[in-house]
Amino acid sequence: MPDSLIQRDAAYWRDHGIKRVKSEERSGETPETEGMGRLVAISGKRSGSSHLWAGTNLIKPGAKTGPHHHGDLESIIYIVRGHALMRWGERLEFITKAGPGDFFLVPPYVPHQELNASDTEELHCVLVRSGVEEVVVNIKVDAVAEPEWV
């Protein structure tokens, strides 16, 4: 870190240091995908982030999202509670499963779909993206009937 960033007075750091976003301050003002309750916590517009977007999502028991991608953004999904199935590919031809404590890395432009693997529990995830604002491109996909497990 350059010395010029370290040598600041307390007033500077108070105003330009750590920002807390309380759970109840998350906002639904973000592009949506069918089947997902996405909430934004950190973004350029909301918190002044210069490189990242972060939020949460909730998928109801037995539900699945619509196919989508996030443009040129990388995404990280952390499973807090529940079990997720993730399908991806041009025809959603691949599938994998993750549970609490697991992560997914979704590269740019990868068509994908999240599914709640449980018919009784909600799926709660934390999302982080490589840009400051949400990019959601909902797409129509001719999905294969039986995806390959990876």
Side-chain angles (χ1 to χ4, degrees):
M1 177 180 291
D3 288 342
S4 62
L5 292 179
I6 296 171
Q7 298 175 3
R8 302 288 181 148
D9 64 15
Y12 174 86
W13 289 120
R14 179 185 59 240
D15 296 335
H16 297 93
I18 304 297
K19 293 183 180 166
R20 174 182 63 175
V21 178
K22 294 180 179 181
S23 177
E24 64 270 12
E25 294 173 332
R26 292 174 296 162
S27 169
E29 293 181 22
T30 183
E32 275 301 323
T33 298
E34 179 184 344
M36 178 186 299
R38 190 182 288 126
L39 297 174
V40 57
I42 305 291
S43 70
K45 184 171 30 175
R46 295 192 87 242
S47 59
S49 177
S50 59
H51 297 289
L52 298 172
W53 180 99
T56 60
N57 74 5
L58 168 75
I59 300 175
K60 300 282 185 190
K64 62 183 178 183
T65 70
H68 62 283
H69 67 76
H70 300 285
D72 65 353
L73 302 180
E74 278 189 315
S75 299
I76 294 173
I77 302 170
Y78 174 75
I79 311 301
V80 176
R81 187 168 59 243
H83 289 85
L85 297 172
M86 178 71 84
R87 289 185 67 171
W88 74 95
E90 291 295 320
R91 298 189 61 211
L92 303 177
E93 62 266 36
F94 305 104
I95 191 168
T96 194
K97 187 174 183 178
D102 293 341
F103 290 84
F104 289 122
L105 170 63
V106 182
Y109 296 103
V110 171
H112 61 282
Q113 175 185 51
E114 294 97 334
L115 299 90
N116 187 334
S118 172
D119 289 329
T120 59
E121 296 180 304
E122 292 181 329
L123 172 61
H124 290 259
C125 303
V126 173
L127 312 169
V128 178
R129 306 225 195 286
S130 61
V132 298
E133 300 303 334
E134 179 72 43
V135 174
V136 177
V137 180
N138 295 309
I139 56 177
K140 293 196 182 298
V141 171
D142 182 21
V144 299
E146 294 294 325
E148 175 187 339
W149 282 91
V150 178

